[in-house]
Amino acid sequence: MKLKLQLENILTPSSPFNFEGTFHKPSHFESNDLLFEDDNYWQSMRFNDQIYGLKFTNIGEINAPKIRLSIYSDCTISTNNSNDLIKEVEYRFDLYADIKSFNNYCGDDIILKNVISKWNGMRVSVNSSFYEFLVITTVLQNTTIKRTIQMFNNLFEKYGSTI
């Protein structure tokens, strides 16, 4: 399936916002549906029975965050569907969380201050839907990461769409 750029939108998360800390989770296993490189994060997404390619580009700073969201599709996206897709992305990546009070409260804690300093603005985020998360947790059960990656890639090859 060949996708074309259909829409670009600028998202302005609440500050502070750490792009890398929010979009790049090195503790997660690698999969063929996402990629983080420099200040860009690519992800495929099935939403409302449509397949999308999403590209997030960091164009801001921690205290003045901005993200360019480029949405790719094989067909024109309706205004309602694009608005719903953007809301879903904002929710999954917790772009508007107010974490200033947490930072203020815990910023001087002897254990947390170094983590908060290094990852200031990082959000708890989940790039997948609830269904996708259930599939991931199922294939993670009682096996090695290598085997999990193999099973996940097999699911992509058998049931996924190449974009």
Side-chain angles (χ1 to χ4, degrees):
M1 176 182 303
K2 194 154 183 98
L3 306 182
K4 295 182 292 189
L5 179 62
Q6 299 291 334
L7 175 70
E8 286 193 325
N9 199 349
I10 302 298
L11 307 176
T12 309
S14 58
S15 70
F17 181 77
N18 187 310
F19 184 85
E20 181 177 357
T22 300
F23 286 96
H24 185 229
K25 305 292 188 193
S27 62
H28 294 175
F29 63 87
E30 291 184 25
S31 65
N32 292 333
D33 63 334
L34 53 93
L35 173 69
F36 184 87
E37 190 173 72
D38 300 323
D39 275 345
N40 294 289
Y41 173 79
W42 290 269
Q43 174 181 331
S44 63
M45 178 186 242
R46 182 181 295 274
F47 185 75
N48 289 344
D49 296 322
Q50 180 64 38
I51 295 173
Y52 296 100
L54 306 177
K55 180 182 178 186
F56 300 84
T57 303
N58 184 22
I59 57 173
E61 300 173 2
I62 287 180
N63 290 315
K66 284 196 183 314
I67 300 167
R68 180 185 309 112
L69 172 60
S70 304
I71 303 173
Y72 296 80
S73 176
D74 66 341
C75 61
T76 304
I77 306 169
S78 71
T79 302
N80 285 344
N81 209 28
S82 67
N83 289 339
D84 290 346
L85 178 61
I86 290 167
K87 285 179 189 172
E88 181 70 16
V89 163
E90 292 169 339
Y91 171 75
R92 287 187 188 190
F93 292 100
D94 204 14
L95 297 183
Y96 302 110
D98 179 8
I99 60 173
K100 284 182 182 176
S101 58
F102 173 80
N103 288 353
N104 291 338
Y105 185 76
C106 298
D108 292 328
D109 181 87
I110 191 136
I111 296 171
L112 296 176
K113 69 180 175 182
N114 291 334
V115 174
I116 290 172
S117 175
K118 180 177 180 176
W119 295 108
N120 184 27
M122 181 177 80
R123 309 301 166 89
V124 176
S125 59
V126 177
N127 64 352
S128 53
S129 68
F130 182 64
Y131 173 77
E132 292 163 330
F133 187 70
L134 289 175
V135 171
I136 291 166
T137 56
T138 300
V139 299
L140 279 171
Q141 298 303 307
N142 298 318
T143 191
T144 65
I145 295 295
K146 181 178 179 182
R147 178 67 178 127
T148 296
I149 291 170
Q150 182 184 28
M151 287 188 288
F152 209 66
N153 287 335
N154 288 342
L155 287 171
F156 276 138
E157 287 179 27
K158 176 117 174 122
Y159 301 106
S161 299
T162 300
I163 57 172

